[in-house]
Amino acid sequence: MSTSGSSTGDGGAQGVCLPEAGATDDEPEQPQGLPILDLKVLQELAEDMGGSGVARAFAKDYIGIWDKRQGYLEQSVRNNDSELAMDAVLSLKNSAFMVGGLQLASLAVELERLIRAGDLPAVRSLLPVVAQTGHDTVTALKKTYLRHGR
């Protein structure tokens, strides 16, 4: 998956390729039919960096900082601080895209849209989904990418 190019039809992804809404609906429990993890993203990072060491280190760092990222988002929303919530969600979105966490990145794009619209209550209602999707992303990284040494 490339992280450059055109955005979704609503322009919310700001230069990030995502399928059009409803483009794939094979698995309704997944946002926009996306998998939790796209290992091709980390494989491309490894190729770009001349080896898997950088990509593996990035995946490990991502796992190590997940709880802090999640907590930062939750605290900023709990404090009704839209500016800090935007900072948190942009960090979450960019890192999720870089690690291949497609569901989480898609969710972060929606959170960004909601924050821009000033709808922190809607963001607050999605925090349990963010927590579960982030947990699922971390688990997938551990079980697939890091376990098999790709």
Side-chain angles (χ1 to χ4, degrees), residues 13 20 26 34 42 49 80 111 126 130 137:
E20 292 293 329
D26 297 335
L34 298 171
L42 289 168
M49 296 297 165
N80 292 312
L111 294 173
L126 289 173
V130 171
T137 302

Side-chain angles (χ1 to χ4, degrees), residues 84-141:
L84 289 180
M86 182 61 76
D87 183 56
V89 84
L90 291 174
S91 173
L92 186 130
K93 178 181 80 171
N94 293 331
S95 62
F97 272 120
M98 289 179 66
V99 82
L102 300 186
Q103 284 187 31
L104 188 58
S106 177
L107 183 56
V109 168
E110 176 63 9
L111 294 173
E112 179 183 3
R113 184 190 69 75
L114 291 169
I115 294 168
R116 288 188 192 283
D119 194 352
L120 283 183
V123 172
R124 191 173 292 109
S125 73
L126 289 173
L127 291 178
V129 179
V130 171
Q132 184 61 54
T133 306
H135 172 78
D136 293 347
T137 302
V138 165
T139 299
L141 282 167

Side-chain angles (χ1 to χ4, degrees), residues 58-108:
F58 183 77
K60 287 178 182 178
D61 289 345
Y62 179 88
I63 290 166
I65 199 170
W66 165 249
D67 288 335
K68 183 177 180 180
R69 271 197 183 100
Q70 179 189 356
Y72 182 45
L73 175 62
E74 289 178 356
Q75 181 178 354
S76 63
V77 172
R78 189 171 42 250
N79 292 339
N80 292 312
D81 190 327
S82 295
E83 187 175 318
L84 289 180
M86 182 61 76
D87 183 56
V89 84
L90 291 174
S91 173
L92 186 130
K93 178 181 80 171
N94 293 331
S95 62
F97 272 120
M98 289 179 66
V99 82
L102 300 186
Q103 284 187 31
L104 188 58
S106 177
L107 183 56

Side-chain angles (χ1 to χ4, degrees), residues 1-79:
M1 180 190 136
S2 172
T3 56
S4 62
S6 64
S7 65
T8 61
D10 69 358
Q14 296 187 347
V16 178
C17 289
L18 287 175
E20 292 293 329
T24 57
D25 199 18
D26 297 335
E27 300 177 42
E29 71 278 358
Q30 298 177 346
Q32 299 181 5
L34 298 171
I36 278 288
L37 188 63
D38 180 358
L39 292 176
K40 288 182 251 167
V41 174
L42 289 168
Q43 291 165 350
E44 288 175 9
L45 178 61
E47 289 171 13
D48 290 347
M49 296 297 165
S52 65
V54 171
R56 288 180 61 75
F58 183 77
K60 287 178 182 178
D61 289 345
Y62 179 88
I63 290 166
I65 199 170
W66 165 249
D67 288 335
K68 183 177 180 180
R69 271 197 183 100
Q70 179 189 356
Y72 182 45
L73 175 62
E74 289 178 356
Q75 181 178 354
S76 63
V77 172
R78 189 171 42 250
N79 292 339

